[in-house]
């Protein structure tokens, strides 16, 4: 960044300096030519034709340098067939007349006719009263003074622009260094986290970098939660399998006649536990994708089609916000809705009503995301309030006459909790059965 800034500043200053040099040099040259033109006009204004038909001045020119030999300021009046009328400063020299010009326009030219003394020459063709001859009036000045002024100007420009460029480059370097300093601090903070010196990035950063720091800290929190969740799952699974394995070991060691029945019962329990923890592990793994997004309505339609084939006597009615989306993986959302609607169809009398509502919160006040609420109602017998909490226990079943393992609601509750949602069981006022209220974080 500093190199690019230095290159760009140099290009701009060189281009601007060149343009400014041309403008100021031209202005100094025009001023120099204007002074010579004033002298030339004074010569023409004081010139007249004498009795000998030669040019003479009726009043002397005011600049004393015209009287000093080789002073650097000269004039001359000439015409074909006439001896040149010259200033005393020319002494034994004469200005070169050059080609004849047409008209009485002013002509300006640089001349090297005098060795070691470059000249700036202005001339004009004039026909004086009483003379049929075209007289050439010339005034010349040494360019030394003009060149000195331009040289001083260019030295000043080069020094000024060099100081300006150096100052701008230093400013750009300081700005880049100061502007990128938070990233260096962030790099050190990340290195400290990687090396185990600290667990979070707690340094204060500017507003431009703070969102990145918040995202990094959230990612660290999420990874920590995942690691803790994995350890807890492993411990829970080991604890859950320990008792059935101990029973199997004891029965096998004792050569119990009920070994076969014990094996079937214990393996069924172990399979239930393994299924439960695998479902949680899959949900946790998919939750690692913070950009998970699923539309609720397509999932509901898919579940409705599945229910119409599995339970032909059940009618599933859908209503509410068809554009709602949640921060849940589609597979997990299908599993949540599938379990809940299947339970409603299985234990109801034939009617299931599903409503989708988006609840908008005030972000500036609460910093909480919007919520999508899914209400699933059935017309079954319902569940007494005292027994509703038991349904979320692993293996709990209030109706053992219907097939199932009792893991559905427990897995649903765990998956919803992993995504930061919640589930509640209530009584349906419209259908009289159970109302399941699911609240999930909304997506844009």
């Amino acid at each position: 960044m500093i190199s690019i800034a230095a290159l760009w500043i140099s290009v701009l200053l060189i281009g601007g300096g060149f343009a400014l040099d041309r403008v100021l040099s031209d202005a100094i040259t025009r001023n120099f030519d204007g002074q010579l033109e004033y002298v030339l006009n004074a010569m023409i204004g004081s010139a007249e034709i004498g009795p000998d038909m030669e040019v003479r001045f009726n009043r002397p020119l005011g600049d004393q340098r015209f009287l000093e030999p080789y002073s650097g300021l000269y004039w001359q009046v000439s015409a074909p067939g006439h001896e040149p009328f010259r200033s005393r400063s020319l002494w034994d020299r004469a200005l070169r007349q050059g080609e004849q010009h047409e008209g009485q326009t002013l002509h300006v030219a640089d001349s090297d006719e005098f060795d070691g003394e470059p000249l700036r020459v202005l001339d004009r063709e004039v026909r004086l009263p009483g003379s049929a001859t075209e007289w050439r009036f010339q005034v010349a000045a040494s360019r030394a003074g003009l060149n000195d002024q331009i040289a001083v100007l260019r030295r000043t420009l080069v020094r000024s622009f060099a100081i300006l460029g150096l100052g701008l480059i230093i400013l750009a370097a300081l700005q880049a260094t100061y502007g990128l300093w938070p990233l260096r601090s962030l790099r050190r903070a990340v290195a400290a986290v990687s090396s185990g010196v600290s667990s979070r990035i707690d340094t204060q950063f500017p507003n431009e970098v703070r969102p990145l720091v918040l995202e990094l800290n959230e990612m660290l929190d999420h990874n920590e939660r995942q690691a803790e969740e994995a350890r807890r799952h492993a411990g829970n699974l080991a604890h859950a399998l320990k008792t059935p394995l101990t029973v199997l070991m004891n029965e096998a060691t004792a050569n119990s006649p009920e070994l076969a029945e014990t094996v079937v019962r214990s393996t069924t329990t172990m399979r239930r536990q393994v299924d439960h923890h695998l479902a949680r592990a899959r949900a946790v793994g998919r939750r690692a994708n913070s950009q998970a997004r699923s539309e609720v309505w397509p999932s509901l339609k898919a579940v409705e089609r599945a229910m119409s084939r599995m339970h032909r006597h059940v009618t599933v009615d859908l209503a509410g916000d068809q554009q709602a989306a949640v921060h849940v993986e589609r597979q997990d959302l299908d599993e949540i809705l599938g379990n809940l609607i299947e339970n409603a169809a299985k234990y109801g009398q034939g009617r299931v009503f599903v409503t989708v509502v988006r609840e908008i919160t005030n972000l500036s006040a609460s910093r909480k995301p919007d919520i999508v609420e899914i209400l699933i109602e059935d017309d079954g017998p319902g569940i007494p309030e005292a027994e509703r909490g038991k349904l979320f226990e692993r293996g709990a079943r209030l109706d053992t006459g219907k097939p199932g393992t009792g893991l559905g609601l427990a897995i649903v509750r765990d998956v919803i909790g992993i995504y930061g949602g919640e589930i509640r069981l209530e009584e349906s006022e419209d259908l009289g059965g159970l109302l399941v209220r699911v609240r999930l974080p909304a997506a844009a």
Side-chain angles (χ1 to χ4, degrees):
M1 290 176 62
I2 297 173
S3 299
I4 293 175
L7 178 62
W8 184 240
I9 289 171
S10 300
V11 170
L12 290 180
L13 289 181
I14 291 174
F18 179 78
L20 188 58
D21 171 72
R22 297 306 306 164
V23 171
L24 295 179
S25 297
D26 290 345
I28 292 174
T29 302
R30 285 195 302 271
N31 182 63
F32 188 83
D33 292 343
Q35 295 177 10
L36 293 182
E37 186 178 5
Y38 175 79
V39 174
L40 183 63
N41 291 335
M43 290 172 54
I44 297 173
S46 61
E48 61 181 16
I49 301 297
D52 55 356
M53 301 305 293
E54 295 291 340
V55 173
R56 63 181 183 182
F57 292 155
N58 54 27
R59 60 181 181 272
L61 299 178
D63 199 322
Q64 293 298 312
R65 287 179 295 173
F66 289 121
L67 304 177
E68 301 174 8
Y70 310 132
S71 64
L73 186 61
Y74 317 104
W75 59 260
Q76 177 177 290
V77 182
S78 59
H82 295 268
E83 192 70 22
F85 181 35
R86 300 174 297 172
S87 65
R88 188 175 181 182
S89 57
L90 281 171
W91 200 246
D92 57 349
R93 298 180 299 187
L95 296 175
R96 188 170 54 206
Q97 298 182 25
E99 297 179 357
Q100 190 75 16
H101 303 303
E102 295 182 2
Q104 298 184 5
T105 57
L106 178 68
H107 296 274
V108 182
D110 292 324
S111 174
D112 295 325
E113 56 191 280
F114 295 167
D115 292 338
E117 188 180 15
L119 299 177
R120 185 77 168 173
V121 181
L122 276 69
D123 66 83
R124 175 175 287 167
E125 304 287 341
V126 177
R127 186 185 300 273
L128 296 174
S131 173
T133 305
E134 289 282 347
W135 298 90
R136 173 171 293 185
F137 287 78
Q138 294 174 285
V139 61
S142 173
R143 284 187 56 93
L146 176 61
N147 293 338
D148 289 343
Q149 292 183 51
I150 294 176
V152 170
L153 167 67
R154 288 176 176 169
R155 283 197 302 270
T156 304
L157 284 177
V158 169
R159 292 172 182 171
S160 301
F161 275 60
I163 295 174
L164 176 61
L166 181 61
L168 290 175
I169 292 172
I170 292 175
L171 179 62
L174 292 175
Q175 185 178 14
T177 302
Y178 178 76
L180 296 178
W181 196 260
L183 297 183
R184 295 185 178 90
S185 301
L186 179 60
R187 181 182 64 183
R188 290 193 292 269
V190 172
V193 172
S194 300
S195 61
V197 175
S198 61
S199 61
R200 295 292 183 275
I201 302 174
D202 52 6
T203 308
Q204 293 296 323
F205 288 95
N207 294 335
E208 293 79 5
V209 185
R210 191 172 298 131
L212 174 61
V213 175
L214 294 177
E215 291 293 333
L216 288 174
N217 283 332
E218 288 182 6
M219 183 181 68
L220 292 172
D221 291 338
H222 178 71
N223 290 341
E224 193 173 278
R225 288 194 302 269
Q226 275 197 299
E228 182 62 29
E229 188 79 16
R231 287 192 295 269
R232 186 167 62 252
H233 283 176
N236 291 341
L237 182 58
H239 180 75
L241 296 180
K242 184 177 180 179
T243 300
L245 287 174
T246 301
V247 172
L248 286 175
M249 181 65 70
N250 293 337
E251 292 290 330
T253 304
N255 293 322
S256 173
E258 299 178 356
L259 178 61
E261 182 181 348
T262 303
V263 169
V264 171
R265 186 171 59 252
S266 298
T267 53
T268 300
T269 301
M270 288 190 290
R271 185 182 65 182
R272 184 184 304 129
Q273 296 292 342
V274 170
D275 289 343
H276 172 75
H277 286 283
L278 283 179
R280 282 182 59 89
R282 285 194 300 269
V284 171
R286 288 192 290 266
R287 181 66 179 89
N289 180 13
S290 62
Q291 301 300 321
R293 182 184 185 278
S294 301
E295 295 182 359
V296 177
W297 203 260
S299 289
L300 286 175
K301 298 295 290 185
V303 173
E304 178 193 19
R305 289 191 295 268
M307 291 300 106
S308 65
R309 292 192 294 268
M310 295 172 55
H311 306 279
R312 297 186 180 276
H313 69 286
V314 176
T315 300
V316 180
D317 296 322
L318 307 179
D321 188 352
Q322 299 187 15
Q323 307 300 323
V326 293
H327 275 307
V328 180
E329 284 286 347
R330 174 63 186 268
Q331 183 176 348
D332 291 329
L333 182 62
D334 290 345
E335 185 173 356
I336 293 170
L337 298 177
N339 270 288
L340 296 177
I341 295 177
E342 183 180 8
N343 283 341
K346 185 187 301 183
Y347 297 103
Q349 303 299 320
R351 290 197 61 192
V352 178
F353 193 65
V354 183
T355 307
V356 181
V357 179
R358 183 184 180 99
E359 180 181 313
I360 300 177
T361 59
N362 187 355
L363 276 179
S364 60
S366 64
R367 304 299 298 171
K368 293 181 180 179
D370 293 351
I371 295 296
V372 172
E373 196 170 64
I374 305 173
L375 308 178
I376 302 173
E377 305 174 70
D378 63 61
D379 57 350
I383 299 175
E385 185 175 356
E387 297 183 356
R388 292 171 187 168
K390 298 179 181 179
L391 288 180
F392 294 115
E393 299 176 1
R394 293 193 293 272
R397 299 174 61 201
L398 299 183
D399 186 358
T400 58
K402 295 185 182 294
T405 63
L407 286 175
L409 283 180
I411 293 176
V412 166
R413 180 199 60 186
D414 291 344
V415 172
I416 291 175
I418 288 170
Y419 283 101
E422 60 177 333
I423 180 172
R424 294 200 301 266
L425 302 181
E426 303 173 5
E427 182 179 351
S428 173
E429 297 181 358
D430 295 332
L431 299 183
L434 183 67
L435 183 150
V436 181
R437 186 184 302 272
V438 178
R439 293 168 63 84
L440 294 170

